Amino acid sequence: MTKQHKSIAIDGPSGAGKSTLAKALAEALGYLYVDTGAIYRTVGLQACRTGTDPTDPAAVMALLERLQIRLEHGKDGLQHMYLNGEDVSQAIRQHEISAYASAVSAIPQVRAFLLAQQRRLAEEHDVVMDGRDIGTVVLPDADVKIFLTAAPEARARRRWLELKQRGQERAYETVLRDVLERDDRDTHRAAAPLRQAEDAVLADTTDKDLEQSLALLIQIAKERLQA
Ligand code: DC
């Protein structure tokens, strides 16, 4: 079967600016933006709400089989996540949910369960999809693969600012520690660890502001799409 739609895979650690930049890139190209982390966050949210141990594969799978996760794009073009019919797009952004999402995402059965939904979106639309394993596992034939990263301190500073703007004040040191812990878990897990695909272009945003980073991504995407 020939591939009908274009796909751009953006992977990298948390706080590298993936979601903001992937969304802006999708807008610039007229593609659909898919934030796959939001799917793991939705599972994590349900584990948190039900007091389920997020590291227990059997318990999390039992949870997954009973819940309904929907990913929809509203008329505003924004992605919304629904958990058993409830719009949880805001709730999944709580700081506490990040650790739950990271834990459930380390379970191979959970990843396998969520794979088809992600691939289907790329079969039906031109997409910019961001996550940790998009270029390596979910869309190995993506037209463009970008590995977006930045120094941990720069990522922690951005995350700290983002939380502050949302009224969730945290000490910078705590945020940096969380970033390092999450990096460690995401890169050292056995199932689909975070790593740069061999054919991915590396984009480092440590010393770049949003505008400069976006210009870099647009340049990479256009070059690769024409190649
Ligand atoms: O991108 P994010 O921080 O919202 O992702 C939440 C967690 O989900 C993160 O710890 C890594 C995990 N994740 C993953 O394992 N695979 C993906 N494709 C996306 C996210």
Side-chain angles (χ1 to χ4, degrees):
M1 198 179 76
T2 53
K3 203 162 149 295
Q4 308 247 336
H5 289 282
K6 298 286 183 196
S7 51
I8 299 179
I10 303 188
D11 293 302
S14 56
K18 274 196 317 290
S19 48
T20 310
L21 288 167
K23 196 160 138 214
L25 179 64
E27 258 173 45
L29 298 174
Y31 287 15
L32 190 72
Y33 166 55
V34 180
D35 166 11
T36 62
I39 307 173
Y40 293 99
R41 284 177 177 273
T42 303
V43 180
L45 176 69
Q46 184 68 346
C48 175
R49 282 180 172 178
T50 55
T52 305
D53 175 357
T55 64
D56 179 342
V60 176
M61 281 312 287
L63 196 72
L64 210 51
E65 275 150 20
R66 273 184 278 119
L67 62 79
Q68 195 210 21
I69 297 178
R70 260 187 312 124
L71 184 158
E72 274 184 19
H73 286 79
K75 287 209 175 66
D76 51 8
L78 297 179
Q79 174 178 316
H80 291 261
M81 294 304 306
Y82 293 88
L83 170 58
N84 296 334
E86 174 196 351
D87 188 341
V88 292
S89 312
Q90 294 294 323
I92 59 172
R93 298 292 152 200
Q94 293 167 83
H95 185 61
E96 289 66 29
I97 301 307
S98 302
Y100 277 90
S102 181
V104 298
S105 74
I107 302 173
Q109 299 96 306
V110 170
R111 306 198 69 84
F113 192 91
L114 299 173
L115 191 61
Q117 186 180 23
Q118 297 170 68
R119 285 194 176 148
R120 202 166 45 242
L121 283 161
E123 278 162 20
E124 293 171 355
H125 309 270
D126 292 330
V127 292
V128 174
M129 194 174 275
D130 85 14
R132 303 295 190 286
D133 62 338
I134 309 305
T136 51
V137 178
V138 180
L139 304 177
D141 297 327
D143 299 280
V144 183
K145 295 182 187 178
I146 298 172
F147 193 81
L148 193 71
T149 191
E153 293 75 16
R155 292 188 282 120
R157 205 171 47 245
R158 291 173 192 164
R159 180 90 186 118
W160 173 81
L161 198 65
E162 189 187 313
L163 287 167
K164 192 171 151 145
Q165 284 163 351
R166 273 199 232 131
Q168 300 178 42
E169 300 238 3
R170 292 282 186 297
Y172 167 78
E173 290 70 26
T174 311
V175 179
L176 177 61
R177 194 197 57 215
D178 287 354
V179 162
L180 292 171
E181 273 177 18
R182 207 135 72 92
D183 279 2
D184 190 62
R185 266 202 307 271
D186 293 344
T187 51
H188 290 103
R189 68 186 180 205
L194 171 66
R195 66 174 178 82
Q196 183 179 345
E198 274 174 26
D199 49 352
V201 181
L202 180 69
D204 189 323
T205 66
T206 305
D207 298 316
K208 291 188 169 42
D209 64 18
L210 224 51
E211 205 181 320
Q212 294 166 325
S213 305
L214 178 60
L216 174 66
L217 294 204
I218 292 177
Q219 183 198 336
I220 295 172
K222 289 200 167 156
E223 274 173 20
R224 289 273 165 141
L225 285 169
Q226 278 161 12

